[in-house]
Amino acid sequence: MSAMNKQASNVLEPAWVKLLLLVIAFSFLTLFLFVPLVAVFVEAFKKGAGAYFAAITDPDAVSAIKLTLIAAVISVPLNLVFGLAASWAIAKHEFRGKSILLTLIDLPFSVSPVISGLIYVLLFGAQGWFGPWLQEHDIKILFAVPGIVLATIFITFPFVARELIPLMQSQGNEEEEAALVLGASGWKTFRHVTLPNIKWGLLYGVILCNARAMGEFGAVSVVSGHIRGETNTMPLQVEILYNEYNFAAAFAVASLLALLALVTLAIKSFIEWRLHQTDPVEAEARKLEH
């Protein structure tokens, strides 16, 4: 059947149409992806390797790198736990409010990151709901690490859940039910049946979550206060350096984010390949989804 569809496609699409589509696609990728990516590294090394390494080892840059890693190290595991719990509940159980939970999971996708940052300002700011109590007990949320972590968690929490929910729904409950009938406990069923079936999809979601956590700008910008050397993440550090016309340093820090993106892309491609090896149908569905 697929061979017949392929032959029909070859008849309906002349060679020049395919060539034109390829030219358009590669031209678009070159103009909007490859050229900017190359430009980042060219500008980063424009003043030489010495200036590049001086820029990325500057105390403010090192602080920004550390804060970015801290935010990711805290937010990604928490979102991993939430994503597993939410996807297990939604895919394997029926309960009231299921559609509401799905809607809430998608909320960060539909709300601007700047708006989500403002929500935390309204909650924890000096004039916010909890601001006076926080000041009274000398607890800092905004313009400190906790605020940045909270904003990062909010922005990134849908990624793991949204990867696992369709995967678990497509697998059904038959294997779990069989394990329970044979006497396995709920924890053993999850560990020996469910988790092996979703491990590649889980890792896929974690990688996307981590990439977004390290590259988040809008929400973090609102809650950070832009305190140099204290509350600037890597994207914020790039903005400050660029606004100060320190282009070489700005592109040097940006090149680290670009390297992160390339590594993420490589790992993502490897996981898609493994998914195709283990479950071709799921792999094709995931490609269409993204």
Side-chain angles (χ1 to χ4, degrees), residues 36-258:
L37 185 62
V38 171
V40 167
F41 288 97
V42 170
E43 291 294 329
F45 286 95
K46 195 171 186 178
K47 294 186 178 180
Y52 176 86
F53 288 107
I56 63 175
T57 55
D58 178 80
D60 290 343
V62 172
S63 174
I65 294 170
K66 287 181 179 179
L67 183 54
T68 301
L69 294 175
I70 288 171
V73 165
I74 296 174
S75 61
V76 172
L78 290 176
N79 285 322
L80 169 62
V81 174
F82 168 79
L84 275 172
S87 57
W88 174 272
I90 291 171
K92 305 295 183 179
H93 303 280
E94 293 295 331
F95 56 91
R96 289 185 178 180
K98 186 174 181 178
S99 59
I100 296 176
L101 179 57
L102 278 168
T103 302
L104 291 176
I105 289 174
D106 289 335
L107 188 62
F109 289 145
S110 57
V111 175
S112 167
V114 174
I115 300 300
S116 64
L118 287 174
I119 292 172
Y120 287 106
V121 173
L122 291 174
L123 290 175
F124 305 117
Q127 307 302 321
W129 291 3
F130 306 109
W133 185 88
L134 292 171
Q135 287 183 331
E136 182 181 344
H137 293 80
D138 195 27
I139 300 174
K140 292 191 69 175
I141 301 294
L142 291 182
F143 313 141
V145 175
I148 294 171
V149 172
L150 285 174
T152 305
I153 290 172
F154 179 83
I155 290 299
T156 56
F157 80 75
F159 286 94
V160 175
R162 267 302 168 193
E163 287 299 319
L164 292 182
I165 289 170
L167 177 58
M168 285 187 172
Q169 287 176 333
S170 67
Q171 291 174 349
N173 300 330
E174 290 80 6
E175 293 186 29
E176 285 86 355
E177 291 173 353
L180 293 172
V181 168
L182 292 173
S185 65
W187 172 242
K188 282 188 176 180
T189 300
F190 175 78
R191 215 160 33 115
H192 295 289
V193 178
T194 304
L195 194 57
N197 288 337
I198 64 171
K199 60 181 180 181
W200 292 110
L202 177 62
L203 184 57
Y204 190 94
V206 167
I207 288 170
L208 294 180
C209 179
N210 181 70
R212 180 62 187 273
M214 290 192 173
E216 175 54 31
F217 178 84
V220 171
S221 178
V222 174
V223 302
S224 72
H226 295 271
I227 303 173
R228 197 159 188 164
E230 294 184 21
T231 63
N232 280 335
T233 58
M234 291 171 66
L236 300 182
Q237 182 69 9
V238 171
E239 181 196 31
I240 287 177
L241 292 172
Y242 191 86
N243 289 338
E244 292 177 348
Y245 302 101
N246 191 353
F247 299 129
F251 280 105
V253 178
S255 69
L256 297 179
L257 289 171

Side-chain angles (χ1 to χ4, degrees), residues 267-283:
I267 298 174
K268 174 176 170 290
S269 299
F270 171 75
I271 292 174
E272 287 179 342
W273 174 77
R274 285 305 303 262
L275 276 172
H276 187 77
Q277 297 295 314
T278 56
D279 192 345
V281 175
E282 173 61 25

